[in-house]
Amino acid sequence: MKILYNTGILLYNTLIYIVSVFNEKARLLVRGRQGWQQRLKEKVDPDGRNIWVHCSSLGEFEQGRPLIEEITRLHPDYRIILTFFSPSGFEIRKNYQGARCVEYLPADFRRNARKFISMVNPEFVIFVKYEFWNNYITELHRKGIPLYLVSGIFRPGQHFFKWYGSFFRNMLRCFEKIFVQDQASLELLEGIGLKNALRAGDTRFDRVLKISGTAREIPQIEQFRGGEKLFLAGSSWKGDEEIITGYINRFPGKVKWIFAPHEIDKPNIDRLESLIRVKVVRFSGFRPEDSDARVLIIDNIGMLSSAYKYSSVAAIGGGFGKGIHNILEPACFGIPVVFGPNFIKFREAVELIKEGGAFTFSDYNEFASIADRLFNNEEFYKKSAHISGQYIRNNTGATDLILQEILK
């Protein structure tokens, strides 16, 4: 199996080089990996107190970030070496000030693993959620460097739990401790004989709660909202927008409406505006006299997490595509959350729907039914909002639990 794995890694990286000729994301990965040894040599002292944290992409970084920040707060002498697999994580966080060095993870070849680990010489290593690179894991284990998986989540269909999965199970046994999000994951690991797993929860809850406490004021949104309720569609895509704008056009006066589309290029904003038959204004051009508009479109990046605090209800995009975006950011403000049908792989969405703090829709009629209940039934709204906020508070604390184990 090891030969098959290494062959697969070789073929995958060869394919990335070929695809990079015409694919921007692949090209960023190939170029970003070039020269990694020289950069490590310049930035990293192998005799220093280095901690290596690896994330696949941006979402995993947000799970690892509370740990990074708390580690450096408790131990200012530690130096964080942060790596990403995906360009969507690296390109956004390559200037992250909380790390000594931010790099793409070199391809998982044995020579790369040995060289990288030798140059970084970490005291311990944290992989976030899904990352299992055999040559890196094997080399860390060989050198006796503690390796931890945080915010892990496991499902029965994964290779670890198949009859042919001994190779993958051996990787799990190399971890000093595997911190999982839920009881189901813990039971799966215990079912294959692993004794190094612990249920700790999801560090994202700690992260979003911290963000909500530092949300900035946005006077333009406050002026736009006035004394009305506000519905905010965050990270919206075409599938969400076509349904929501249909409701707006039919009932424009029920509440004020904000869209923060996932894509903010001009053609996409123009398309979104064309769906709306009432007065709409873009944030970049908002003036106090535009407060009579019924719809505001946020045409910038970086404002959404703070904007949620002004809303009464939030819709989260992605549910008509690959999967929903972050529902915890709005939920931490104690508001009901709605989203499209592709949410099954997101534990927090499943749990929040079950408890009554979130709702899903797959067409206009389902959205209209949910919106009517939330807007017209005050008792129903207050109960749902309370459940949403309480869910966040009940699930915080993973960061402290994990660090108690790692740093003890």
Side-chain angles (χ1 to χ4, degrees), residues 144-157:
I145 299 172
L147 170 63
Y148 302 91
L149 183 75
V150 302
S151 292
I153 192 160
F154 294 86
R155 298 182 179 88

Side-chain angles (χ1 to χ4, degrees), residues 120-148:
V120 173
N121 191 27
E123 290 195 15
F124 60 86
V125 179
I126 295 174
F127 282 8
V128 181
K129 197 174 182 177
Y130 288 135
E131 291 296 90
F132 303 100
W133 298 105
N134 182 68
N135 288 309
Y136 283 102
I137 291 172
T138 301
E139 181 64 11
L140 289 168
H141 186 66
R142 186 184 71 83
K143 299 191 75 167
I145 299 172
L147 170 63
Y148 302 91

Side-chain angles (χ1 to χ4, degrees), residues 298-315:
I298 296 177
D299 52 351
N300 62 56
I301 293 175
M303 183 182 293
L304 181 57
S305 61
S306 293
Y308 283 126
K309 77 174 185 176
Y310 295 96
S311 62
S312 305
V313 180

